[in-house]
Each structure stands twice: as structure tokens, then as C-alpha cells.
């Protein structure tokens, strides 16, 4: 359990930081982080970090794919986790 929490913390911090880096680079007209990279990090457990990064850095908030995508990914992750937790009691 400790390793899982450490993993989730790491991937969320990584996505949060990448949202800040991408915002900085967007403002300064530099190389950007691929959107697919941001979504992959959200899918593998970083959706909370992505949502917080959108809010804190005011980045990608008008893009429907991010505005609805990150919360949608989080909802699926919550439902999946809840399903795993209640599965043993469904017999």
C-alpha cells in the first residue's frame, strides 16, 4: 500500500509540474509538452495532479478535451477503485 501511495503521489506531482512547465512554454512561445503525454499521465493515475495543474496555472481550462477529460478520467478511476474494494463482498 505504501508503494502504491508513493507511486500515485509521484505521478500526480509529475503531471502537476508538467502543466506548469507547459504553461510557461506556451506563454514564452517555446517547445510544448504533447497533449498525449499529459493524458497518459492522467490515465496512469495522475488525474488529480492534472486537474490541480489546470486550476493553479490556468492552463488548458478552455480546451474541452482537458476540461472534461481529466475529471472524466478521475471519475473512472474512482469507480474502478470502488469496484475493486467492494468486489470481495459481492458474493
Amino acid at each position: 500500500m505504501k508503494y502504491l501511495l508513493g507511486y500515485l503521489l509521484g505521478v500526480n506531482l509529475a503531471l502537476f509540474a508538467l502543466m506548469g512547465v507547459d504553461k510557461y512554454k506556451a506563454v514564452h512561445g517555446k517547445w510544448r509538452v504533447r497533449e498525449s503525454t499529459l493524458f497518459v499521465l492522467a490515465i496512469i493515475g495522475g488525474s488529480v495532479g492534472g486537474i490541480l495543474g489546470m486550476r493553479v496555472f490556468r492552463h488548458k481550462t478552455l480546451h474541452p478535451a482537458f476540461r472534461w477529460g481529466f475529471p472524466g478520467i478521475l471519475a473512472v478511476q474512482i469507480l474502478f477503485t470502488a469496484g475493486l474494494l467492494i468486489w470481495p463482498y459481492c458474493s
Side-chain angles (χ1 to χ4, degrees):
M1 187 63 139
K2 181 171 42 172
Y3 295 113
L4 176 62
L5 292 176
Y7 165 79
L8 289 173
L9 179 63
V11 74
N12 277 285
L13 285 173
L15 184 50
F16 179 82
L18 269 181
M19 292 295 283
V21 167
D22 194 46
K23 174 65 177 197
Y24 174 84
K25 291 185 179 240
V27 169
H28 292 89
K30 297 185 177 190
W31 159 87
R32 303 284 304 278
V33 177
R34 291 176 158 230
E35 290 184 355
S36 61
T37 301
L38 300 174
F39 273 107
V40 166
L41 286 172
I43 289 168
I44 64 170
S47 54
V48 172
I51 293 168
L52 290 174
M54 284 176 54
R55 305 270 187 243
V56 169
F57 301 115
R58 296 183 186 165
H59 188 49
K60 304 265 186 206
T61 56
L62 298 178
H63 295 260
F66 286 91
R67 187 176 188 169
W68 300 105
F70 281 179
I73 291 168
L74 177 60
V76 169
Q77 290 168 338
I78 289 170
L79 290 173
F80 179 76
T81 303
L84 286 177
L85 292 173
I86 65 170
W87 179 261
Y89 304 105
C90 292
S91 302

